[in-house]
Each structure stands twice: as structure tokens, then as C-alpha cells.
Amino acid sequence: MLLGVNIDHVATLRNARGGVEPDVISAALICEANGGTSITTHLREDRRHIKDEDVYTLIKTIKTKLNLEMAMADDIQKIALEIKPHSICLVPEKRQEITTEGGLDVAGQLDRVRGFIKPLLDAGIIVSLFIDPDEAQVKASAKTGAQFIEMHTGSYSEAFGTDREQEEFLKLKNSAQLAQSLGLTVNAGHGLNYKNVHRMHEIEGLYELNIGHSIISRAVFTGLPEAVSKMAELIK
Ligand code: PXP
């Protein structure tokens, strides 16, 4: 499995003081140098962490792949078409949420998703859809033209170590199998940490995990190189 490191929280910390530290670009380069195989970042409509200039600099600076998370917003689509990241991951977005709370409802807006991703696909950008591990959402995703899904692991992560863990885990495993049988490549992420990530090895064929909060949190104590390399080691 590959490790995409989400660096949004570095920008959150920087923005807390409105200055330039900690530098997001340096963080991305450290992630790459320590086992991160792509850099993931969410350009939110409210620009609460990552800002346009970060994305424009990242695309010119990083050596691995940029995975741009974005909502179905025309202005962000325009930026994606301009910078052409390796991939985009379409996520739902609510202004007041602390983080992305649920998966994208692809089944409920199939035509809208199809129409929105078409120019991105036509531009050669890989498209991933961030969905809950749910049969209807997987089946709908396979009808959009997107090549990837990213399964929302939030419920699994919350249930880890409780009676509900296995039930949530099986949703991920079954959804991954279904998606792969429909020709999709499967990523996963959200809420994964150093304790719960090992079960992702039980899901055959998972391609990449996108992990942010636990890595940046650990980095406060151990430094970013150790935090990234430790996670990379766990998911290899
Ligand atoms: N994948 C997606 C689509 C996300 O929105 C997020 C959170 O920004 C992540 C992965 C990473 O989640 P976490 O920060 O909990 O590791």
C-alpha cells in the first residue's frame, strides 16, 4: 500500500498566526523524503487551511504526486484544470464541519457528478470519489467514469476497539471487493492512525491510504520525518 500524506493541518497551524510558519511546502518535501508517495491537500471553498498559492507552489515543487481534494465547486474545478494535479478526490463539503464528515452522495446525484468530473477526466486528471463503504455508492461510482474511489474509514476508525469494529471493517472489505470487481481502484482514508491502520492490510488490493491528522499530531512529539516514516513502515 502507498501512503498519501494529507498536509492540511500544517496549514491550519500556520494560519493560526497568519504568518508563514510552519511552511507547508517544506512539510510536503519532508513527507516525500520519508516515505510519503503522494501529497494530499484539500482546497476548501472557505480556504480555511490550504490556500490557492500553496497549491500553485506545491504543484511546481513536489516530486511525487499531488492529490487535490475538492468539492463540486466551479472555481476549484477551474484551478484543478489549470494546475493539472495527478489526481483529484471529490469530497462533500459543509462550511461548518470540522472535517469532512461523510462520503459524497454519488448515488443521489449521479448525473451531476458525471458532468462535474468529465472536464477533469478529459484533461487527463485521475478522479477519485470519496464515498462511504456502501454498496449503492460503490455501484453508482462505477457508473461515473471515475477510476478510483476512496473509502471513508471514519466509522471504522471510530468503532476500532469496540463491539462495532468488525461490522464497520467488513463494510470496508466488502465495498473494496465490489469496487474492484467493477473496475475501480480503491484507496481509503479518514481517521486512520498508528493503532488502527494495520487492519487495512486485510483488505486485498487497497492502493493508497490518505492520512493526515494522526501523522501531524505525532509529529508534534517526534518530528515529521519520524511520524511519516513510522506510518510508511506500518502500511508497507
Ligand atoms: N481522505 C479525505 C478525503 C479527507 O477529507 C481527509 C481529511 O481531510 C483524509 C483522507 C485524512 O483524514 P485524517 O486527517 O483523519 O487522517
Side-chain angles (χ1 to χ4, degrees), residues 4 6 8-9 40 42 44 49 67 69 89-92 99-101 130 150-153 157 188-193 209-215:
N6 183 314
D8 294 345
H9 290 300
T40 291
H42 184 175
R44 291 185 68 98
H49 36 56
N67 175 40
E69 290 179 6
C89 180
L90 209 58
V91 300
T99 181
T100 315
E101 281 166 2
F130 185 55
E150 179 173 327
M151 298 190 299
H152 195 317
T153 48
S157 300
H190 209 286
L192 294 175
N193 61 34
L209 303 180
N210 283 310
I211 307 181
H213 188 260
S214 62
I215 293 177

Side-chain angles (χ1 to χ4, degrees), residues 82-154:
E82 191 186 333
I83 66 164
K84 292 201 175 58
H86 174 79
S87 57
I88 69 101
C89 180
L90 209 58
V91 300
E93 204 172 292
K94 296 187 209 113
R95 292 233 163 191
Q96 301 311 323
E97 68 190 355
I98 294 171
T99 181
T100 315
E101 281 166 2
L104 184 70
D105 179 15
V106 181
Q109 48 182 344
L110 190 51
D111 287 340
R112 186 169 170 231
V113 173
R114 248 195 218 128
F116 187 84
I117 66 174
K118 176 142 193 332
L120 297 160
L121 289 167
D122 289 347
I125 301 166
I126 290 172
V127 173
S128 178
L129 304 174
F130 185 55
I131 58 168
D132 289 327
D134 169 85
E135 194 179 315
Q137 297 298 343
V138 173
K139 285 184 172 164
S141 298
K143 293 183 190 153
T144 60
Q147 304 97 326
F148 279 68
I149 58 164
E150 179 173 327
M151 298 190 299
H152 195 317
T153 48

Side-chain angles (χ1 to χ4, degrees), residues 25-222:
I25 309 302
S26 305
L29 297 176
I30 290 171
C31 293
E32 291 186 325
N34 288 279
T37 46
S38 65
I39 299 299
T40 291
T41 197
H42 184 175
L43 188 60
R44 291 185 68 98
E45 287 178 76
D46 61 11
R47 308 297 200 270
R48 81 165 65 138
H49 36 56
I50 289 291
K51 300 189 183 300
D52 296 22
E53 53 268 33
D54 296 325
V55 171
Y56 284 105
T57 310
L58 279 170
I59 193 76
K60 284 189 269 174
T61 319
I62 65 170
K63 291 166 192 63
T64 58
K65 305 169 289 180
L66 181 66
N67 175 40
L68 186 68
E69 290 179 6
M70 55 186 278
M72 282 196 279
D74 290 341
D75 62 323
I76 315 271
Q77 185 197 53
K78 207 167 144 223
I79 293 173
L81 288 170
E82 191 186 333
I83 66 164
K84 292 201 175 58
H86 174 79
S87 57
I88 69 101
C89 180
L90 209 58
V91 300
E93 204 172 292
K94 296 187 209 113
R95 292 233 163 191
Q96 301 311 323
E97 68 190 355
I98 294 171
T99 181
T100 315
E101 281 166 2
L104 184 70
D105 179 15
V106 181
Q109 48 182 344
L110 190 51
D111 287 340
R112 186 169 170 231
V113 173
R114 248 195 218 128
F116 187 84
I117 66 174
K118 176 142 193 332
L120 297 160
L121 289 167
D122 289 347
I125 301 166
I126 290 172
V127 173
S128 178
L129 304 174
F130 185 55
I131 58 168
D132 289 327
D134 169 85
E135 194 179 315
Q137 297 298 343
V138 173
K139 285 184 172 164
S141 298
K143 293 183 190 153
T144 60
Q147 304 97 326
F148 279 68
I149 58 164
E150 179 173 327
M151 298 190 299
H152 195 317
T153 48
S155 297
Y156 159 74
S157 300
E158 272 172 31
F160 185 77
T162 74
D163 294 348
R164 291 182 15 257
E165 174 184 326
Q166 187 61 6
E167 183 191 334
E168 293 299 338
F169 174 75
L170 287 176
K171 285 184 198 166
L172 294 170
K173 192 172 168 118
N174 295 337
S175 294
Q177 255 172 15
L178 175 63
Q180 287 158 351
S181 75
L182 296 171
L184 292 160
T185 306
V186 183
N187 294 337
H190 209 286
L192 294 175
N193 61 34
Y194 296 83
K195 292 200 174 102
N196 65 27
V197 76
H198 66 92
R199 293 210 68 185
M200 296 302 110
H201 287 294
E202 295 173 47
I203 303 176
E204 221 167 291
L206 265 192
Y207 184 74
E208 188 166 59
L209 303 180
N210 283 310
I211 307 181
H213 188 260
S214 62
I215 293 177
I216 305 304
S217 301
R218 184 180 175 106
V220 171
F221 299 104
T222 68

